[in-house]
Amino acid sequence: MTTGHGVGPADAAGGPARHLPVMLREVLAHLAPKDAGHYVDGTFGAGGYTSAILGAADCRVLAIDRDPTAIAAGQTLVEASGRRLLLVHDRFSRLDEIAAEQDFLPLDGVVLDIGVSSMQLDEADRGFSFRRDGPLDMRMGGDGLSAADLCATLDDVRLAHIIWTFGEERHSRAIAKAIVKAREEAPITRTAQLAEIVSRVVWAKPGEMHPATRTFQALRIAVNEELSELVEALAAAERALRPGGRLVVVTFHSLEDRIVKTFLSHRAKAPSASRHQPQAEGPEPSFRLVAKGAVEPGPDEVAGNPRSRSAKLRAAERTDAPAHPGGDLMGLLPPPSPQRHRRRR
């Protein structure tokens, strides 16, 4: 996953954008970089957060991105950092393993900016945007199944599940049936094709988002396994942070924010006790909430960068308690895709 940098779901096909790191002031305030610290930017993107962290303290940054184009573009910053920046092409769900491989543990801070970057949206060949015709791809790392593969192979039940679960699209069933019907006539291989199919089913009112916005978001999340990557990254940060280390996460839509909120609330909650069982049971809190609730961008930032308007920041500080067992993490994810029921003969 690469950095969102101001891209919310409603803007998933907007015009060319300046690559502005969203809520940069708030991110630095909650991350609180210090000299000699070790920080991970799990979503390097255009390097906005990384540059700011390196400028805020005499520290080191391990930056990760699964997009090879972001890694290539970041080499200039690596050279200019005086060896204070390590740039790694990988998934941020492995951030603790990557940090161990680079002899970078323990960490003083982790920042994650979740979503698709404006750079990716602006490149038609990446297939993220429905306003720029290009291959229906959407793969951040260039590997695995593409969005075109999903549209070509999944039945209408599974497609509807993806579009409803990851896009929160109330017309998911109609869209899925339209996709299956359209592919019988011709393969769906272009973004413009899919956008037109959805637009024939979903009617947008003036001033509302494009009808294909939620469908494109859903397919992108499914293609890149974004929600499971996020869950694993949160647990990896819990394992890698030293006591007092900070975790700062910026999200751009409710699915992701709900996961981060639930994870941090659970990890910051003290074990329960009662008069019948005065001895509290369960692991001790592994995080202390730094931001009470979600921090949102100010009106000046939204006016200057409309793509920031859906952003929410949550932050927590690592305690000295051990990391929680990971068995409860799957409860943070939506239910798996249903199987089509076969009729009995």
Side-chain angles (χ1 to χ4, degrees), residues 1-5 40-50 62-66 70 87 90-93 95 110-115 117 119 140 230 233 248-250 252:
M1 188 177 301
T2 193
T3 177
H5 286 325
V40 163
D41 180 352
T43 47
F44 177 71
Y49 289 157
T50 290
L62 169 61
I64 304 166
D65 206 296
R66 67 191 292 185
L87 192 53
D90 211 317
R91 296 181 177 229
F92 70 177
S93 57
L95 69 87
V110 173
V111 60
L112 305 174
D113 182 2
I114 310 302
S117 77
M119 296 180 300
M140 291 181 178
L230 172 57
V248 179
V249 187
V250 178
F252 292 89

Side-chain angles (χ1 to χ4, degrees), residues 242-271:
R242 71 165 77 244
R246 297 283 183 91
L247 172 61
V248 179
V249 187
V250 178
T251 60
F252 292 89
H253 62 71
S254 59
L255 286 174
E256 297 159 344
D257 179 62
R258 195 177 305 133
I259 288 173
V260 177
K261 176 183 177 181
T262 303
F263 176 85
L264 292 179
S265 298
H266 180 266
R267 293 304 197 252
K269 186 178 181 180

Side-chain angles (χ1 to χ4, degrees), residues 3-293:
T3 177
H5 286 325
V7 182
D11 306 295
R18 294 172 294 163
H19 305 305
L20 302 176
V22 170
M23 301 180 71
L24 180 58
R25 180 175 58 187
E26 293 86 348
V27 166
L28 290 179
H30 288 88
L31 192 64
K34 60 184 179 182
D35 292 348
H38 282 195
Y39 297 90
V40 163
D41 180 352
T43 47
F44 177 71
Y49 289 157
T50 290
S51 296
I53 295 168
L54 290 171
D58 185 15
C59 60
R60 298 180 68 204
V61 175
L62 169 61
I64 304 166
D65 206 296
R66 67 191 292 185
D67 188 340
T69 60
I71 298 299
Q75 295 308 313
T76 301
L77 183 56
V78 173
E79 296 172 4
S81 70
R83 296 186 177 182
R84 292 196 294 139
L85 170 61
L86 295 171
L87 192 53
V88 177
H89 178 216
D90 211 317
R91 296 181 177 229
F92 70 177
S93 57
R94 294 188 61 249
L95 69 87
D96 58 333
E97 299 173 56
I98 298 167
E101 293 165 2
Q102 298 292 334
D103 194 23
F104 208 75
L105 293 175
L107 303 179
D108 296 282
V110 173
V111 60
L112 305 174
D113 182 2
I114 310 302
V116 64
S117 77
S118 54
M119 296 180 300
Q120 292 168 331
L121 292 174
D122 292 342
E123 297 175 6
D125 288 345
R126 303 301 299 275
F128 289 100
S129 173
F130 44 75
R131 294 195 191 279
R132 294 177 179 82
D133 186 33
L136 187 58
D137 194 323
M138 300 192 190
R139 294 175 296 178
M140 291 181 178
D143 57 339
L145 297 176
S146 68
D149 294 327
L150 297 188
C151 289
T153 59
L154 298 184
D155 62 31
D156 61 309
V157 173
R158 294 184 180 181
L159 280 171
H161 177 77
I162 287 173
I163 296 168
W164 167 253
T165 304
F166 298 147
E168 299 180 315
E169 170 59 72
R170 61 190 180 94
H171 301 287
S172 58
R173 291 183 180 179
I175 294 170
K177 290 182 181 297
I179 290 172
V180 171
K181 181 179 179 181
R183 77 189 186 196
E184 293 175 354
E185 301 176 4
I188 305 170
T189 60
R190 309 288 296 183
T191 56
Q193 280 180 277
L194 180 59
E196 182 181 357
I197 292 167
V198 177
S199 296
R200 291 199 297 260
V201 177
V202 182
W203 294 81
K205 297 179 181 179
E208 290 186 349
M209 68 175 67
H210 190 284
T213 298
R214 293 190 175 95
T215 298
F216 270 63
Q217 171 187 301
L219 289 173
R220 190 203 79 222
I221 290 175
V223 164
N224 296 290
E225 301 177 319
E226 293 180 29
L227 299 189
S228 59
E229 284 285 302
L230 172 57
V231 169
E232 292 175 18
L234 294 173
E238 179 187 25
R239 293 189 295 267
L241 285 165
R242 71 165 77 244
R246 297 283 183 91
L247 172 61
V248 179
V249 187
V250 178
T251 60
F252 292 89
H253 62 71
S254 59
L255 286 174
E256 297 159 344
D257 179 62
R258 195 177 305 133
I259 288 173
V260 177
K261 176 183 177 181
T262 303
F263 176 85
L264 292 179
S265 298
H266 180 266
R267 293 304 197 252
K269 186 178 181 180
S272 59
S274 68
R275 62 178 182 175
H276 303 293
Q277 290 183 312
Q279 183 66 36
E281 295 183 355
E284 293 295 320
S286 58
F287 280 101
R288 177 185 66 84
L289 299 182
V290 175
K292 302 298 183 182

